[in-house]
């Protein structure tokens, strides 16, 4: 082959590669040839895995040893029924699970058959139970409970009270699982079901212990059988006395209803109750810092509170806790490992952290809560930290370089964890952090294929979607084929799973809502499935979630979606302002848009004076109130609030202070603040607006060089005004998502904004710059919808309705 031929071939290969990259980056959504992988397990559905696990646990507990010949579980012809065969069974046993997948009563029949003619119950007495000790729900308490109960079962496997204590210990362990996309309590629920089944078979006609009753309610709570659990709590409260039982009842009611108001004195409550109190507040209230919730409890930060705060949407301050997460999580794992093994955990090797949750018999002896369960729990918690690092550094702090450095460090330290690949799927990259970073997607798929039961629904569906648009060796198998459908018998995670695309559709919404009346995600999914977000009747919203409107911001948001932008929203916001300062801010916005300035100022002051709102959020909210104080001649309060906002370093706070300095004639101070915002956040729009007003408006010639320099940066082709060419636009600002308020004025998803106040805009930077030219007054948008153009007038440029935008044409999957 000649040199010329070789060079031509190389050039051709490079050209094909470049064209392929360009096509991929332009969002052609090229589907690659990889086919879905086949699961490398003997079970092919989530339900089959659950039933198999419980049957194996019941068998081992009943025969008193690890069963070398594992039982065979086959689905029967009838729905939700199974046939179990085993060497220790004289004949196959039928399991009827049509009412409840995790049914101790159904599996108790299997236990009775396995126990055969053994005595129904040993003579061992209930020594008072474990429930009082578990109110101090720490890792140390759980390890101690595991030790004592495992010893009791080693002495006598037929001790029904010990099995019930074991089930409650496992339930308490599962209650420590925080909110979030990596939360998973299924292993604990499987093992709880087995212990409760054994206890029921062993105790015969005797009533369960208090531990057993509480464990049954915890299991129903984890299953999302809320109505059943609440009815059981009512009976337990009426029939059983004692402070410890009362504390458990309060904690479980808090978990189910999420009504944090029922804990009147949080500081005086048990740790179990306090955990559920914080969990409920994190789920239901926005714009409140985790630190303020801990202040209510009189607690300082530890790993439990970190998980609850870090696992839910919060403030920038809360997001920053992720940097402490690795140390906190490692410290607990070290402590548990030392307590269980008597030697330190070796982090460099990570082998002990990759230990799976073992069978009930760990060697020759039974073990209630094995190290493998802690290791899997710890891996899920570390996965939350791994995924959160990127979001905090890249998006909260705006530092892509720091995020990339952290990724490399995390890979070096934790890359051998089985959770590592799936924890990275939420990483992003690119200039604005909008491109999915799926560099470990192949590894995540391989882990999911090998151990599908380890993946949560959110992780699986994200991996499956990403595998369709990435050059992978094999696509992720179908999530819909694996996960069970939300139904009355399988209400576990119903609201969460319904909100995840790609899963099986709901079976019987009406009965499922009766089963889980406090599952907000379930109720909201039902409303949007039936009506769509923009057409929900307020009466139906009130019927399903109205009781939550006094303590849950999500319910208020649903009601606001139902009423749109009309005046019915004001009383809803006024009521919500009573428990969520974020809604005081929204109330202020609504009143200000309506010209009710004095009322609006009071609402803003209420929001900004709340110590539970972090400084950056306050900086983002302060602009209107600063201007209000200025117009009322209250210069001192205006300066104090503006400078406090700027001191956070937030872009909005710097711009708020800059605008006030400009109005006061402090032009040098204004320029410094505008420039600080522009350089820190690569957002030159407000700075260009300042130079426009200074040079074009005030005719201050000393600003001419700065005006031209910034103008060329944002508008390299120069400012263009006048009529826009007819027909579909070539460039502009694409409206990705709209809102009721934007639709009301005539802007909806799919529109392209092509001019602001007559100035042509071709991207988001230009759009934001022209919007910043005047400080106050009206704003006019020229909007293209296909080939048709229209003009949208907005009375106050400070209150342009919410809509999410992107540069047009949109780049697709890969950000450029």
């Amino acid at each position: 082959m000649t040199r010329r031929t070789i060079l031509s071939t190389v050039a051709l290969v490079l050209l094909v590669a470049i064209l392929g990259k360009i096509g991929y980056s332009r969002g052609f959504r090229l589907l690659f040839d990889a086919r879905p992988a086949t699961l490398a397990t003997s079970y092919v559905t989530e339900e089959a895995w659950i039933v198999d696990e419980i049957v194996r646990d019941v068998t081992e507990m009943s025969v008193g040893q690890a069963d070398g010949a594992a039982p065979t579980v086959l689905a029967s012809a009838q729905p939700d029924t199974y046939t179990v065969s085993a060497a220790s069974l004289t004949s196959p046993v039928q399991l009827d699970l049509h009412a409840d997948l995790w049914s101790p009563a159904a599996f108790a029949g299997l236990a009775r058959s396995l126990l055969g003619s053994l005595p129904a119950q040993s003579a061992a007495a209930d020594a008072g139970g474990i429930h009082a000790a578990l109110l101090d729900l720490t890792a140390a308490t759980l390890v101690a409970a595991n030790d004592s109960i495992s010893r009791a079962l080693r002495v006598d496997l037929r001790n029904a009270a010990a099995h019930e204590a074991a089930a409650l210990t496992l339930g308490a362990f599962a209650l420590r699982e925080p909110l979030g996309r990596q939360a998973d309590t299924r292993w604990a629920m499987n093992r709880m079901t087995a212990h409760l089944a054994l206890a029921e078979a062993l105790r015969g006609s005797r009533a369960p212990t208090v531990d057993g009753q509480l464990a049954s309610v915890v299991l129903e709570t984890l299953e999302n059988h809320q109505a059943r659990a609440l009815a059981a709590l009512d009976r337990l409260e009426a029939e059983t006395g004692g402070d410890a039982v009362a504390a458990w009842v309060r904690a479980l009611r808090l978990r189910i209803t999420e009504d944090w108001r029922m804990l009147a004195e949080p500081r005086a409550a048990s740790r179990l109750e306090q955990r559920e109190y914080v969990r409920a507040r994190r789920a239901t209230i926005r714009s409140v810092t985790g630190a303020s919730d801990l202040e209510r409890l009189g607690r300082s930060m530890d790993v439990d509170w970190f998980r609850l705060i870090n696992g839910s949407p919060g403030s920038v301050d809360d997001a920053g806790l992720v940097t402490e997460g690795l140390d906190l999580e490692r410290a607990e794992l070290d402590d548990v490992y030392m307590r269980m093994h008597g030697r330190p955990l070796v982090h460099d090797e990570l082998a002990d952290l990759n230990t799976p949750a073992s069978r009930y018999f760990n060697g020759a002896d039974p073990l209630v809560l094995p190290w493998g369960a802690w290791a899997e729990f710890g891996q899920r918690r570390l996965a939350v930290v791994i995924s959160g690092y990127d979001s905090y550094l890249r998006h909260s702090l705006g530092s892509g370089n720091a995020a990339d450095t952290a990724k490399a460090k995390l890979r070096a330290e934790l890359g051998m964890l089985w959770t590592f690949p799936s924890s990275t799927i939420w990483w992003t990259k690119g200039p604005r952090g909008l491109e999915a970073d799926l560099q470990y997607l192949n590894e995540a798929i391989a882990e999911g294929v090998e151990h599908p039961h380890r993946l949560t629904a959110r992780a699986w569906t994200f991996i499956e979607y990403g595998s369709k648009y990435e050059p992978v060796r094999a696509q992720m198998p179908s999530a819909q084929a694996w996960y069970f459908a939300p139904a009355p018998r399988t209400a576990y995670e119903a609201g969460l799973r319904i909100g995840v695309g790609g899963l099986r559709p709901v079976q019987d919404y009406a009965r499922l809502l009766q089963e889980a009346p406090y599952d907000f995600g379930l109720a909201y999914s039902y409303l949007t499935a039936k009506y769509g977000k923009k057409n929900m009747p307020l009466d139906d919203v009130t019927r399903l979630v109205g009781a939550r409107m006094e303590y849950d911001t999500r319910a208020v948001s649903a009601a606001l979606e139902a009423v749109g932008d009309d005046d019915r929203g004001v009383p809803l916001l006024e009521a919500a302002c009573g428990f969520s300062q974020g809604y005081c801010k929204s109330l202020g916005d609504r009143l200000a848009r309506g010209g009710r300035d004095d009322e609006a100022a009071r609402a803003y002051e209420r929001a900004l004076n709340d110590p539970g709102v972090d400084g950056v959020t306050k900086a983002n909210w302060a602009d209107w109130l600063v201007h209000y104080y200025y117009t009322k001649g209250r210069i001192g309060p205006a300066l104090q609030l503006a400078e406090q906002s700027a001191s956070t370093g937030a872009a909005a706070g710097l711009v708020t202070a800059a605008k006030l300095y400009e109005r006061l004639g402090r032009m040098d101070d204004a320029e410094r603040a505008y420039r600080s915002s522009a350089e820190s956040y690569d957002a030159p729009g407000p700075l260009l607006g300042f130079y426009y007003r200074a040079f074009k408006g005030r005719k201050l010639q000393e600003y001419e060089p700065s005006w031209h320099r910034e103008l060329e940066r944002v508008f390299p082709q120069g400012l263009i005004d006048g009529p826009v060419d007819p027909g579909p636009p070539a460039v502009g600002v694409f409206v990705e998502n709209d809102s009721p308020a934007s639709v009301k004025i005539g802007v909806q998803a799919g529109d392209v904004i092509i001019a602001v106040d007559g100035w042509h805009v071709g991207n988001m930077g230009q759009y934001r710059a022209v919007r910043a030219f005047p400080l106050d007054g009206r704003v006019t948008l020229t909007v293209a919808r296909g080939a048709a153009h229209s003009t949208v007038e907005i009375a106050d440029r400070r209150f342009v309705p919410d809509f999410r935008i992107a540069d047009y044409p949109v780049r697709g999957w890969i950000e450029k």
Side-chain angles (χ1 to χ4, degrees):
M1 185 179 290
T2 65
R3 176 182 174 87
R4 181 173 181 180
T5 303
I6 293 172
L7 291 174
S8 299
T9 302
V10 171
L12 179 61
V13 169
L14 289 173
L15 178 60
V16 170
I18 292 168
L19 289 174
K21 181 175 176 61
I22 291 172
Y24 189 57
S25 69
R26 294 296 187 269
F28 292 163
R29 301 296 172 102
L30 190 63
L31 283 173
F32 291 86
D33 291 334
R35 297 181 180 277
T38 301
L39 295 178
T41 57
S42 58
Y43 38 80
V44 295
T45 67
E46 176 187 32
E47 181 165 324
W49 165 70
I50 289 167
V51 175
D52 184 72
E53 284 283 295
I54 299 172
V55 166
R56 292 182 66 185
D57 284 340
V58 170
T59 303
E60 292 184 7
M61 292 176 189
S62 299
V63 302
Q65 61 182 8
D67 192 355
T72 301
V73 183
L74 296 174
S76 302
Q78 296 297 320
D80 311 325
T81 60
Y82 297 84
T83 301
V84 180
S85 299
S88 46
L89 287 170
T90 57
S91 61
V93 173
Q94 295 290 119
L95 293 175
D96 183 354
L97 303 178
H98 77 278
D100 183 4
L101 176 57
W102 284 279
S103 172
F107 289 98
L110 172 63
R112 292 187 190 97
S113 297
L114 289 162
L115 290 167
S117 60
L118 291 174
Q121 178 175 341
S122 75
D126 175 18
I130 199 71
H131 60 277
L134 289 174
L135 290 175
D136 179 34
L137 192 52
T138 62
T141 300
L142 285 167
V143 173
N146 168 63
D147 288 344
S148 64
I149 300 166
S150 296
R151 282 197 303 271
L153 288 169
R154 282 196 286 273
V155 171
D156 186 356
L157 268 171
R158 293 174 290 111
N159 183 341
H163 280 291
E164 289 172 339
L168 185 58
T169 300
L170 289 160
F173 174 74
L175 289 175
R176 294 184 83 228
E177 195 86 29
L179 296 163
R181 56 199 176 199
Q182 295 285 6
D184 191 352
T185 60
R186 293 171 298 168
W187 176 86
M189 292 162 64
N190 296 343
R191 190 64 59 88
M192 288 178 74
T193 303
H195 278 293
L196 290 172
L198 256 293
E200 184 171 332
L202 288 166
R203 69 172 181 265
S205 60
R206 293 180 60 177
T209 64
V210 173
D211 283 353
Q213 294 176 68
L214 284 170
S216 295
V217 182
V218 172
L219 180 58
E220 288 179 330
T221 301
L222 295 170
E223 288 184 81
N224 209 25
H225 292 317
Q226 296 177 339
R228 299 185 208 176
L230 288 170
L233 288 173
D234 290 341
R235 292 192 299 271
L236 187 62
E237 189 173 36
E239 298 169 2
T240 308
D243 292 341
V245 171
W248 269 98
V249 169
R250 285 191 296 270
L252 292 173
R253 283 197 177 127
L254 265 168
R255 168 64 70 104
I256 294 166
T257 66
E258 297 180 323
D259 187 353
W260 43 269
R261 300 172 302 168
M262 67 175 60
L263 202 62
E265 298 182 28
R267 286 190 175 219
S270 66
R271 187 178 181 90
L272 172 66
E273 295 167 273
Q274 290 180 339
R275 281 182 48 81
E276 296 304 329
Y277 175 81
V278 173
R279 181 189 178 100
R281 285 181 60 84
R282 303 307 296 177
T284 58
I285 302 181
R286 67 177 188 180
S287 302
V288 175
T289 63
S292 67
D293 279 334
L294 293 188
E295 174 64 25
R296 290 169 176 259
L297 305 181
R299 295 278 190 179
S300 56
M301 185 63 68
D302 65 24
V303 69
D304 270 338
W305 312 122
F306 161 73
R307 289 170 185 151
L308 290 169
I309 295 167
N310 187 56
S312 58
S315 65
V316 174
D317 289 352
D318 291 341
L321 292 174
V322 73
T323 59
E324 304 174 33
L326 283 181
D327 290 339
L328 290 169
E329 295 293 353
R330 283 170 162 166
E332 180 177 275
L333 288 166
D334 288 344
D335 179 62
V336 170
Y337 193 85
M338 176 63 78
R339 290 174 186 274
M340 296 186 74
H341 297 89
R343 63 179 188 274
L345 174 63
V346 181
H347 281 282
D348 291 342
E349 297 176 1
L350 299 180
D352 287 320
L353 278 179
N354 281 325
T355 303
S358 60
R359 305 262 14 115
Y360 179 62
F361 277 90
N362 187 16
D365 294 322
L367 196 59
V368 172
L369 189 52
W371 164 250
W374 286 101
E376 291 193 357
F377 173 84
Q379 288 233 26
R380 292 193 295 274
R381 308 284 58 83
L382 288 170
V384 173
V385 175
I386 291 167
S387 63
Y389 250 96
D390 181 71
S391 177
Y392 172 65
L393 295 173
R394 191 176 304 277
H395 299 291
S396 297
L397 297 187
S399 179
N401 290 335
D404 291 337
T405 300
K407 286 179 183 179
K409 183 179 179 183
L410 290 168
R411 176 67 179 87
E413 293 183 14
L414 303 172
M416 295 302 292
L417 295 177
W418 61 260
T419 52
F420 183 81
S422 61
S423 66
T424 68
I425 60 176
W426 287 285
W427 283 356
T428 58
K429 60 183 179 181
R432 292 186 295 128
L434 300 181
E435 180 188 344
D437 182 356
L438 298 177
Q439 59 181 301
Y440 300 109
L441 184 58
N442 276 309
E443 291 86 344
I445 295 170
E447 173 62 32
V449 168
E450 189 72 23
H451 305 288
H453 58 281
R454 287 175 169 176
L455 284 181
T456 63
R458 286 184 178 179
W460 187 310
T461 53
F462 195 98
I463 293 169
E464 181 184 353
Y465 182 79
S467 72
K468 295 176 181 178
Y469 300 97
E470 293 288 327
V472 294
R473 293 187 291 268
Q475 290 184 25
M476 188 69 191
S478 167
Q480 189 174 90
W482 168 261
Y483 290 103
F484 55 66
R489 65 180 287 273
T490 50
Y492 173 74
E493 288 190 337
L496 183 151
R497 292 190 178 196
I498 290 168
V500 174
L503 299 183
R504 296 186 189 184
V506 179
Q507 295 178 5
D508 198 346
Y509 250 128
R511 283 187 57 217
L512 190 50
L513 284 165
Q514 291 176 352
E515 192 75 26
Y518 287 94
D519 187 332
F520 176 80
L522 174 63
Y524 185 75
S525 294
Y526 167 76
L527 289 167
T528 53
K530 186 174 182 180
Y531 302 110
K533 287 187 177 182
K534 299 176 183 177
N535 299 301
M536 293 187 294
L538 182 59
D539 288 346
D540 270 17
V541 175
T542 302
R543 176 175 59 84
L544 286 175
V545 300
R548 302 180 71 107
M549 288 187 195
E550 297 178 2
Y551 66 89
D552 190 342
T553 58
R554 297 169 300 178
V556 177
S557 294
L560 290 170
E561 287 176 359
V563 302
D565 199 40
D566 65 34
D567 291 340
R568 289 179 296 169
V570 172
L572 291 171
L573 290 169
E574 287 174 338
C577 179
F579 68 89
S580 170
Q581 303 313 312
Y583 274 109
C584 293
K585 191 270 181 183
S586 298
L587 175 61
D589 289 346
R590 186 73 64 98
L591 294 170
R593 287 202 306 268
R596 298 161 63 175
D597 285 4
D598 292 343
E599 295 172 80
R602 288 193 289 272
Y604 283 123
E605 287 172 338
R606 190 169 175 181
L608 292 169
N609 290 332
D610 190 294
V613 180
D614 71 273
V616 172
T617 299
K618 289 180 179 180
N620 292 333
W621 291 353
D623 182 68
W624 187 93
L625 189 59
V626 168
H627 183 60
Y628 173 84
Y629 287 154
Y630 170 78
T631 60
K632 297 296 183 180
R634 299 174 61 186
I635 306 304
L639 276 169
Q640 182 180 5
L641 179 55
E643 290 175 346
Q644 179 182 348
S645 300
S647 69
T648 67
L654 290 165
V655 171
T656 293
K659 287 158 69 173
L660 178 61
Y661 293 146
E662 185 179 351
R663 288 186 169 105
L664 294 173
R666 294 168 54 177
M667 300 295 282
D668 290 346
D669 290 336
E671 184 180 18
R672 277 192 293 271
Y674 281 125
R675 183 165 296 282
S676 178
S677 175
E679 292 175 351
S680 298
Y681 297 93
D682 191 24
L687 178 63
L688 183 62
F690 168 73
Y691 290 135
Y692 176 87
R693 293 184 297 277
F695 175 60
K696 295 287 189 179
R698 294 184 176 89
K699 308 300 182 185
L700 300 175
Q701 298 303 309
E702 62 267 31
Y703 291 103
E704 181 178 8
S706 298
W707 157 252
H708 287 299
R709 183 179 62 251
E710 295 301 325
L711 179 65
E712 184 177 359
R713 178 183 173 191
V714 180
F715 290 90
Q717 308 302 321
L719 275 171
I720 303 172
D721 61 359
V724 180
D725 292 338
V731 294
V733 177
F734 182 74
V735 179
E736 292 186 321
N737 278 11
D738 54 34
S739 66
S742 70
V743 171
K744 186 175 181 179
I745 65 169
V747 177
Q748 66 184 41
D751 289 347
V752 180
I753 300 170
I754 51 180
V756 178
D757 293 336
W759 300 107
H760 296 199
V761 294
N763 55 50
M764 291 188 293
Q766 294 177 358
Y767 165 81
R768 289 173 175 142
V770 175
R771 269 189 55 183
F773 280 5
L775 280 176
D776 305 298
R778 305 178 68 84
V779 62
T780 302
L781 306 180
T782 305
V783 178
R785 188 171 300 163
H789 296 184
S790 62
T791 299
V792 173
E793 297 281 347
I794 301 170
D796 189 336
R797 67 198 314 115
R798 292 173 301 175
F799 292 113
V800 175
D802 291 333
F803 43 76
R804 196 172 70 211
I805 59 176
D807 288 350
Y808 182 80
V810 180
R811 302 300 184 187
W813 182 262
I814 300 295
E815 180 193 2
K816 292 298 287 182

